Amino acid sequence: MNLTIEQIANGLTTEHEMFFPEQPENPEMRESTSIWLFEENGEFGFPRIGIEGEAHSWDNRYYSANFGLGEGRVLRDGNRGGVPSPFDAQGRAAVFGAGPLRFQCLEPFKRWRVSYDGTAADGTADQQIAGTVDESKRTALKFDAELTMVTPCWVQDNSAEKVAKMSKAAAEEATSMGIGWRLEHMFRGEGTLTVDGKTRDFKAVGSRIKRQSIRPLNFFRGHCWQSAVFPDGSAFGYIAYPSTSDGTPPYNDGYIFKDGKMYPAKAINKPWLTKIVADGDDVSVELESELGITRISGTTAFSSFHIMDTENSRFNLNQSGACYSWDGQTAYGMIERSATDEQMASWSK
């Protein structure tokens, strides 16, 4: 299905696809771009590769990259690195990089290029869960891919003006998403991957996220986020937060893209993070929209875990791929979930 740029942009302007040309004045402002990329037949998956450019550390940005190579093997690189010039050959602020990772907008809302050339800690998802990954065991990995957007932007607009008019509880939910704006796209792509001394061409599917916002995470309570695009062009995506302590409706926003139309949707029967398992977790979800109840079945693959001790608890972040099925079609897509140990125990009952 060929969409016009106007359809894909979904009300945004070309400037939304460009990066800050210089360090923002507000030290808390952040420029964030990431992708979730999966070989179309499920041979490998990259469950989140991204850069967080915060104004207070603008020239020493944090980047992270997860590479799931099958059979539980996961390479991970997370560090800070120097930055390239944001300007392309046309003088546009179309480049965003940190260390070995680089994003470039080639054609707004249509084509992007992503490349990585570095080394990553070589381990397994089970070692990540157990906290036994040997960070000194590094493996060289290189990839270069061109991505073509195939769905309209899914947009979250939480401008400061809008948030100022919200109730306190609603404003806290919006703050968790970020004060500013965020867009998400589904793509198809082609590229090359070099690892273990072997280079191969690949075709891929996945999602691209770009945001410019201020995002304090002191209100963050965990989340569940899923998306995928299927062979016929149908797609879905949503982000949901858990219930609030005072009964205020939590953030729950999403969409279904079908037959060339975007339908607003909300997730029901969401697969919260209830257990830490490397792969094979059931992450089926139901979405409620104008189309009725849409059920999408899913099972995790290429899982990566970040288990962090906090002051009062342990916070668990799962960034993973999933094999999804919907209306007789199968596709690989993304899922990200987070929860404290206490939340996981509560949700598993």
Side-chain angles (χ1 to χ4, degrees), residues 35-83:
I35 62 165
W36 302 67
L37 182 149
F38 303 94
E39 197 277 333
E40 63 180 5
N41 297 310
E43 293 187 14
F44 61 81
F46 303 160
R48 194 182 187 278
I49 297 173
I51 300 172
E52 300 289 333
E54 297 174 283
H56 60 74
S57 55
W58 193 244
D59 294 326
N60 189 31
R61 296 172 189 153
Y62 181 75
Y63 69 90
S64 62
N66 299 311
F67 306 103
L69 301 181
E71 299 181 349
R73 184 185 180 193
V74 182
L75 277 62
R76 183 174 189 276
D77 185 19
N79 211 328
R80 291 187 176 272
V83 305

Short mmCIF file of all heavy atoms in Angstrom, two decimals, residues 35-83:
data_model
loop_
_atom_site.label_atom_id
_atom_site.label_comp_id
_atom_site.label_asym_id
_atom_site.label_seq_id
_atom_site.Cartn_x
_atom_site.Cartn_y
_atom_site.Cartn_z
N ILE A 35 15.24 2.62 17.36
CA ILE A 35 14.55 1.67 16.49
C ILE A 35 14.48 0.32 17.19
O ILE A 35 15.29 0.01 18.07
CB ILE A 35 15.23 1.49 15.12
CG1 ILE A 35 16.64 0.92 15.28
CG2 ILE A 35 15.22 2.77 14.32
CD1 ILE A 35 17.25 0.39 14.00
N TRP A 36 13.51 -0.48 16.77
CA TRP A 36 13.41 -1.90 17.10
C TRP A 36 13.37 -2.60 15.75
O TRP A 36 12.43 -2.38 14.96
CB TRP A 36 12.14 -2.18 17.89
CG TRP A 36 12.03 -1.41 19.18
CD1 TRP A 36 11.88 -0.06 19.33
CD2 TRP A 36 12.05 -1.95 20.50
NE1 TRP A 36 11.81 0.27 20.64
CE2 TRP A 36 11.90 -0.88 21.39
CE3 TRP A 36 12.16 -3.25 21.00
CZ2 TRP A 36 11.88 -1.05 22.76
CZ3 TRP A 36 12.13 -3.43 22.37
CH2 TRP A 36 12.00 -2.35 23.25
N LEU A 37 14.37 -3.42 15.46
CA LEU A 37 14.53 -4.00 14.13
C LEU A 37 14.59 -5.52 14.24
O LEU A 37 15.32 -6.07 15.06
CB LEU A 37 15.79 -3.45 13.47
CG LEU A 37 16.11 -3.90 12.05
CD1 LEU A 37 16.85 -2.79 11.29
CD2 LEU A 37 16.97 -5.18 12.04
N PHE A 38 13.83 -6.20 13.34
CA PHE A 38 13.78 -7.65 13.35
C PHE A 38 13.89 -8.20 11.93
O PHE A 38 13.16 -7.76 11.04
CB PHE A 38 12.47 -8.14 13.99
CG PHE A 38 12.29 -7.61 15.39
CD1 PHE A 38 11.55 -6.46 15.62
CD2 PHE A 38 12.90 -8.23 16.46
CE1 PHE A 38 11.42 -5.94 16.89
CE2 PHE A 38 12.77 -7.73 17.74
CZ PHE A 38 12.03 -6.58 17.96
N GLU A 39 14.81 -9.13 11.73
CA GLU A 39 14.89 -9.81 10.45
C GLU A 39 13.52 -10.40 10.15
O GLU A 39 12.89 -10.99 11.03
CB GLU A 39 15.97 -10.90 10.49
CG GLU A 39 16.42 -11.40 9.13
CD GLU A 39 15.51 -12.45 8.56
OE1 GLU A 39 14.86 -13.17 9.36
OE2 GLU A 39 15.44 -12.58 7.32
N GLU A 40 13.01 -10.23 8.94
CA GLU A 40 11.60 -10.50 8.66
C GLU A 40 11.19 -11.95 8.91
O GLU A 40 10.00 -12.22 9.17
CB GLU A 40 11.26 -10.10 7.23
CG GLU A 40 11.99 -10.86 6.16
CD GLU A 40 11.60 -10.41 4.75
OE1 GLU A 40 10.82 -9.44 4.63
OE2 GLU A 40 12.08 -11.04 3.79
N ASN A 41 12.14 -12.88 8.87
CA ASN A 41 11.82 -14.29 9.12
C ASN A 41 12.20 -14.73 10.54
O ASN A 41 12.13 -15.91 10.87
CB ASN A 41 12.54 -15.19 8.11
CG ASN A 41 12.07 -14.92 6.69
OD1 ASN A 41 10.88 -14.88 6.42
ND2 ASN A 41 13.02 -14.71 5.78
N GLY A 42 12.63 -13.78 11.36
CA GLY A 42 12.94 -14.10 12.74
C GLY A 42 14.30 -14.72 12.97
O GLY A 42 14.53 -15.37 14.00
N GLU A 43 15.26 -14.47 12.07
CA GLU A 43 16.59 -15.04 12.26
C GLU A 43 17.39 -14.29 13.32
O GLU A 43 18.26 -14.87 13.97
CB GLU A 43 17.35 -15.07 10.93
CG GLU A 43 16.73 -16.03 9.92
CD GLU A 43 17.57 -16.17 8.67
OE1 GLU A 43 18.76 -15.74 8.69
OE2 GLU A 43 17.07 -16.71 7.67
N PHE A 44 17.14 -13.00 13.47
CA PHE A 44 17.76 -12.22 14.54
C PHE A 44 16.87 -11.02 14.82
O PHE A 44 15.94 -10.70 14.06
CB PHE A 44 19.18 -11.77 14.17
CG PHE A 44 19.26 -10.88 12.94
CD1 PHE A 44 19.00 -9.52 13.02
CD2 PHE A 44 19.63 -11.42 11.71
CE1 PHE A 44 19.08 -8.72 11.89
CE2 PHE A 44 19.72 -10.62 10.58
CZ PHE A 44 19.44 -9.27 10.67
N GLY A 45 17.14 -10.34 15.91
CA GLY A 45 16.35 -9.16 16.27
C GLY A 45 17.16 -8.20 17.11
O GLY A 45 18.01 -8.62 17.91
N PHE A 46 16.91 -6.92 16.93
CA PHE A 46 17.57 -5.87 17.70
C PHE A 46 16.50 -5.17 18.56
O PHE A 46 15.88 -4.20 18.13
CB PHE A 46 18.24 -4.84 16.79
CG PHE A 46 19.26 -5.40 15.83
CD1 PHE A 46 19.62 -4.68 14.71
CD2 PHE A 46 19.86 -6.63 16.06
CE1 PHE A 46 20.57 -5.17 13.82
CE2 PHE A 46 20.81 -7.14 15.17
CZ PHE A 46 21.16 -6.40 14.04
N PRO A 47 16.24 -5.68 19.77
CA PRO A 47 15.19 -5.10 20.61
C PRO A 47 15.65 -3.81 21.31
O PRO A 47 16.05 -3.83 22.45
CB PRO A 47 14.87 -6.21 21.60
CG PRO A 47 16.15 -6.98 21.70
CD PRO A 47 16.81 -6.89 20.37
N ARG A 48 15.60 -2.78 20.61
CA ARG A 48 15.91 -1.39 20.92
C ARG A 48 17.38 -1.04 20.74
O ARG A 48 18.26 -1.59 21.39
CB ARG A 48 15.47 -0.93 22.31
CG ARG A 48 15.52 0.62 22.41
CD ARG A 48 15.17 1.18 23.74
NE ARG A 48 15.08 2.63 23.70
CZ ARG A 48 16.12 3.46 23.78
NH1 ARG A 48 17.34 2.98 23.89
NH2 ARG A 48 15.94 4.77 23.75
N ILE A 49 17.57 -0.10 19.83
CA ILE A 49 18.85 0.55 19.60
C ILE A 49 18.56 2.04 19.61
O ILE A 49 17.74 2.51 18.80
CB ILE A 49 19.45 0.13 18.25
CG1 ILE A 49 19.73 -1.37 18.24
CG2 ILE A 49 20.70 0.92 17.94
CD1 ILE A 49 20.15 -1.89 16.90
N GLY A 50 19.15 2.79 20.51
CA GLY A 50 18.75 4.19 20.60
C GLY A 50 19.77 5.10 21.25
O GLY A 50 20.76 4.66 21.84
N ILE A 51 19.50 6.40 21.11
CA ILE A 51 20.34 7.45 21.68
C ILE A 51 19.46 8.39 22.49
O ILE A 51 18.38 8.79 22.03
CB ILE A 51 21.06 8.25 20.57
CG1 ILE A 51 21.96 7.34 19.74
CG2 ILE A 51 21.88 9.39 21.18
CD1 ILE A 51 22.55 8.04 18.52
N GLU A 52 19.92 8.74 23.68
CA GLU A 52 19.26 9.73 24.53
C GLU A 52 20.17 10.95 24.63
O GLU A 52 21.18 10.91 25.35
CB GLU A 52 18.97 9.16 25.92
CG GLU A 52 18.08 7.93 25.93
CD GLU A 52 16.64 8.25 25.56
OE1 GLU A 52 16.20 9.40 25.80
OE2 GLU A 52 15.96 7.35 25.03
N GLY A 53 19.85 11.98 23.88
CA GLY A 53 20.66 13.19 23.90
C GLY A 53 20.06 14.22 24.85
O GLY A 53 19.10 14.91 24.49
N GLU A 54 20.58 14.30 26.06
CA GLU A 54 20.08 15.25 27.05
C GLU A 54 20.94 16.51 26.99
O GLU A 54 22.17 16.44 26.88
CB GLU A 54 20.10 14.64 28.43
CG GLU A 54 19.17 13.43 28.56
CD GLU A 54 19.29 12.75 29.90
OE1 GLU A 54 20.28 12.01 30.09
OE2 GLU A 54 18.41 12.95 30.75
N ALA A 55 20.29 17.66 27.10
CA ALA A 55 21.00 18.92 26.91
C ALA A 55 22.17 19.08 27.88
O ALA A 55 23.21 19.64 27.52
CB ALA A 55 20.03 20.10 27.04
N HIS A 56 22.03 18.59 29.12
CA HIS A 56 23.09 18.79 30.11
C HIS A 56 24.33 17.96 29.81
O HIS A 56 25.38 18.17 30.41
CB HIS A 56 22.57 18.50 31.52
CG HIS A 56 22.08 17.10 31.73
ND1 HIS A 56 22.92 16.01 31.84
CD2 HIS A 56 20.82 16.61 31.83
CE1 HIS A 56 22.20 14.92 32.02
NE2 HIS A 56 20.93 15.25 32.02
N SER A 57 24.22 16.98 28.88
CA SER A 57 25.40 16.19 28.47
C SER A 57 25.40 16.05 26.95
O SER A 57 25.64 14.97 26.42
CB SER A 57 25.38 14.81 29.14
OG SER A 57 24.16 14.14 28.88
N TRP A 58 25.14 17.15 26.28
CA TRP A 58 24.87 17.16 24.85
C TRP A 58 26.00 16.58 24.01
O TRP A 58 25.76 15.90 23.01
CB TRP A 58 24.56 18.59 24.41
CG TRP A 58 23.97 18.69 23.04
CD1 TRP A 58 24.52 19.30 21.94
CD2 TRP A 58 22.71 18.19 22.62
NE1 TRP A 58 23.67 19.21 20.87
CE2 TRP A 58 22.54 18.53 21.26
CE3 TRP A 58 21.68 17.48 23.27
CZ2 TRP A 58 21.40 18.19 20.54
CZ3 TRP A 58 20.55 17.13 22.54
CH2 TRP A 58 20.42 17.49 21.20
N ASP A 59 27.23 16.82 24.39
CA ASP A 59 28.37 16.35 23.59
C ASP A 59 28.93 15.01 24.06
O ASP A 59 29.97 14.56 23.59
CB ASP A 59 29.48 17.40 23.61
CG ASP A 59 29.06 18.69 22.91
OD1 ASP A 59 28.30 18.59 21.92
OD2 ASP A 59 29.48 19.78 23.35
N ASN A 60 28.23 14.39 25.00
CA ASN A 60 28.66 13.08 25.51
C ASN A 60 27.40 12.25 25.77
O ASN A 60 27.06 11.93 26.90
CB ASN A 60 29.48 13.25 26.79
CG ASN A 60 30.13 11.96 27.24
OD1 ASN A 60 30.48 11.10 26.43
ND2 ASN A 60 30.29 11.81 28.54
N ARG A 61 26.72 11.91 24.69
CA ARG A 61 25.39 11.31 24.76
C ARG A 61 25.44 9.82 25.14
O ARG A 61 26.37 9.11 24.79
CB ARG A 61 24.68 11.43 23.42
CG ARG A 61 24.41 12.85 23.01
CD ARG A 61 23.89 12.94 21.60
NE ARG A 61 23.85 14.34 21.19
CZ ARG A 61 23.93 14.75 19.94
NH1 ARG A 61 24.05 13.87 18.96
NH2 ARG A 61 23.89 16.03 19.66
N TYR A 62 24.35 9.40 25.77
CA TYR A 62 24.20 7.98 26.10
C TYR A 62 23.55 7.25 24.94
O TYR A 62 22.56 7.72 24.37
CB TYR A 62 23.36 7.79 27.36
CG TYR A 62 23.21 6.34 27.75
CD1 TYR A 62 24.27 5.64 28.33
CD2 TYR A 62 22.03 5.66 27.49
CE1 TYR A 62 24.15 4.30 28.66
CE2 TYR A 62 21.90 4.31 27.82
CZ TYR A 62 22.96 3.64 28.40
OH TYR A 62 22.85 2.32 28.71
N TYR A 63 24.10 6.11 24.59
CA TYR A 63 23.49 5.25 23.58
C TYR A 63 23.41 3.84 24.14
O TYR A 63 24.15 3.45 25.05
CB TYR A 63 24.32 5.25 22.28
CG TYR A 63 25.65 4.57 22.40
CD1 TYR A 63 25.81 3.20 22.15
CD2 TYR A 63 26.79 5.29 22.80
CE1 TYR A 63 27.04 2.58 22.29
CE2 TYR A 63 28.02 4.66 22.93
CZ TYR A 63 28.14 3.30 22.68
OH TYR A 63 29.34 2.67 22.83
N SER A 64 22.48 3.06 23.61
CA SER A 64 22.38 1.66 24.01
C SER A 64 21.94 0.84 22.81
O SER A 64 21.25 1.33 21.91
CB SER A 64 21.38 1.48 25.17
OG SER A 64 20.08 1.88 24.76
N ALA A 65 22.36 -0.42 22.79
CA ALA A 65 22.04 -1.29 21.67
C ALA A 65 21.95 -2.73 22.15
O ALA A 65 22.87 -3.22 22.82
CB ALA A 65 23.10 -1.16 20.58
N ASN A 66 20.84 -3.39 21.83
CA ASN A 66 20.64 -4.80 22.13
C ASN A 66 20.60 -5.58 20.82
O ASN A 66 19.87 -5.21 19.90
CB ASN A 66 19.31 -5.02 22.86
CG ASN A 66 19.23 -4.29 24.18
OD1 ASN A 66 20.14 -4.37 25.00
ND2 ASN A 66 18.15 -3.56 24.41
N PHE A 67 21.37 -6.66 20.75
CA PHE A 67 21.41 -7.48 19.54
C PHE A 67 21.08 -8.92 19.92
O PHE A 67 21.90 -9.59 20.57
CB PHE A 67 22.78 -7.42 18.87
CG PHE A 67 23.26 -6.03 18.57
CD1 PHE A 67 24.23 -5.42 19.37
CD2 PHE A 67 22.75 -5.31 17.50
CE1 PHE A 67 24.69 -4.14 19.10
CE2 PHE A 67 23.21 -4.02 17.22
CZ PHE A 67 24.17 -3.44 18.03
N GLY A 68 19.90 -9.40 19.56
CA GLY A 68 19.52 -10.78 19.80
C GLY A 68 19.83 -11.63 18.57
O GLY A 68 19.25 -11.41 17.51
N LEU A 69 20.76 -12.57 18.72
CA LEU A 69 21.25 -13.33 17.56
C LEU A 69 20.70 -14.75 17.51
O LEU A 69 21.17 -15.56 16.72
CB LEU A 69 22.77 -13.34 17.57
CG LEU A 69 23.42 -11.95 17.53
CD1 LEU A 69 24.94 -12.08 17.52
CD2 LEU A 69 22.95 -11.15 16.33
N GLY A 70 19.70 -15.05 18.31
CA GLY A 70 19.08 -16.36 18.28
C GLY A 70 19.67 -17.31 19.31
O GLY A 70 20.80 -17.14 19.78
N GLU A 71 18.86 -18.32 19.69
CA GLU A 71 19.26 -19.33 20.67
C GLU A 71 19.70 -18.71 21.99
O GLU A 71 20.60 -19.22 22.67
CB GLU A 71 20.36 -20.24 20.09
CG GLU A 71 19.90 -21.00 18.84
CD GLU A 71 20.97 -21.92 18.29
OE1 GLU A 71 22.13 -21.82 18.74
OE2 GLU A 71 20.63 -22.73 17.41
N GLY A 72 19.09 -17.60 22.35
CA GLY A 72 19.35 -16.96 23.63
C GLY A 72 20.56 -16.06 23.68
O GLY A 72 20.81 -15.40 24.70
N ARG A 73 21.34 -15.98 22.61
CA ARG A 73 22.54 -15.14 22.61
C ARG A 73 22.16 -13.68 22.44
O ARG A 73 21.41 -13.31 21.53
CB ARG A 73 23.47 -15.56 21.48
CG ARG A 73 24.80 -14.81 21.46
CD ARG A 73 25.61 -15.21 20.24
NE ARG A 73 26.90 -14.51 20.18
CZ ARG A 73 27.66 -14.49 19.09
NH1 ARG A 73 27.29 -15.14 17.99
NH2 ARG A 73 28.81 -13.82 19.10
N VAL A 74 22.67 -12.85 23.33
CA VAL A 74 22.37 -11.42 23.30
C VAL A 74 23.65 -10.63 23.47
O VAL A 74 24.40 -10.84 24.43
CB VAL A 74 21.37 -11.02 24.42
CG1 VAL A 74 21.05 -9.53 24.32
CG2 VAL A 74 20.09 -11.84 24.34
N LEU A 75 23.91 -9.72 22.55
CA LEU A 75 25.00 -8.77 22.68
C LEU A 75 24.42 -7.43 23.11
O LEU A 75 23.35 -7.04 22.62
CB LEU A 75 25.76 -8.61 21.36
CG LEU A 75 26.84 -9.64 21.02
CD1 LEU A 75 26.25 -11.04 20.88
CD2 LEU A 75 27.55 -9.24 19.73
N ARG A 76 25.11 -6.75 24.02
CA ARG A 76 24.61 -5.45 24.47
C ARG A 76 25.76 -4.47 24.61
O ARG A 76 26.81 -4.78 25.16
CB ARG A 76 23.88 -5.57 25.81
CG ARG A 76 23.28 -4.22 26.23
CD ARG A 76 22.42 -4.30 27.48
NE ARG A 76 21.75 -3.04 27.68
CZ ARG A 76 22.29 -1.97 28.29
NH1 ARG A 76 23.50 -2.08 28.79
NH2 ARG A 76 21.61 -0.85 28.42
N ASP A 77 25.50 -3.26 24.11
CA ASP A 77 26.45 -2.16 24.25
C ASP A 77 25.70 -0.96 24.81
O ASP A 77 24.67 -0.55 24.24
CB ASP A 77 27.07 -1.81 22.89
CG ASP A 77 28.16 -0.75 23.01
OD1 ASP A 77 28.68 -0.54 24.11
OD2 ASP A 77 28.49 -0.14 21.97
N GLY A 78 26.16 -0.42 25.89
CA GLY A 78 25.56 0.78 26.46
C GLY A 78 26.65 1.66 27.03
O GLY A 78 27.40 1.23 27.92
N ASN A 79 26.76 2.89 26.51
CA ASN A 79 27.87 3.74 26.93
C ASN A 79 27.56 5.17 26.52
O ASN A 79 26.49 5.47 26.00
CB ASN A 79 29.17 3.27 26.28
CG ASN A 79 30.39 3.54 27.15
OD1 ASN A 79 30.42 4.52 27.90
ND2 ASN A 79 31.39 2.68 27.07
N ARG A 80 28.51 6.04 26.75
CA ARG A 80 28.44 7.41 26.25
C ARG A 80 29.49 7.60 25.18
O ARG A 80 30.54 6.93 25.19
CB ARG A 80 28.62 8.43 27.38
CG ARG A 80 27.46 8.46 28.34
CD ARG A 80 27.56 9.58 29.35
NE ARG A 80 26.38 9.61 30.19
CZ ARG A 80 25.27 10.27 29.90
NH1 ARG A 80 25.20 11.00 28.77
NH2 ARG A 80 24.23 10.26 30.70
N GLY A 81 29.21 8.50 24.23
CA GLY A 81 30.16 8.70 23.16
C GLY A 81 30.06 10.08 22.56
O GLY A 81 29.06 10.79 22.75
N GLY A 82 31.10 10.45 21.83
CA GLY A 82 31.13 11.73 21.14
C GLY A 82 30.07 11.79 20.04
O GLY A 82 29.50 10.78 19.65
N VAL A 83 29.86 13.00 19.55
CA VAL A 83 28.75 13.21 18.63
C VAL A 83 29.25 13.78 17.30
O VAL A 83 30.20 14.56 17.27
CB VAL A 83 27.69 14.14 19.24
CG1 VAL A 83 27.23 13.60 20.57
CG2 VAL A 83 28.21 15.56 19.42
#
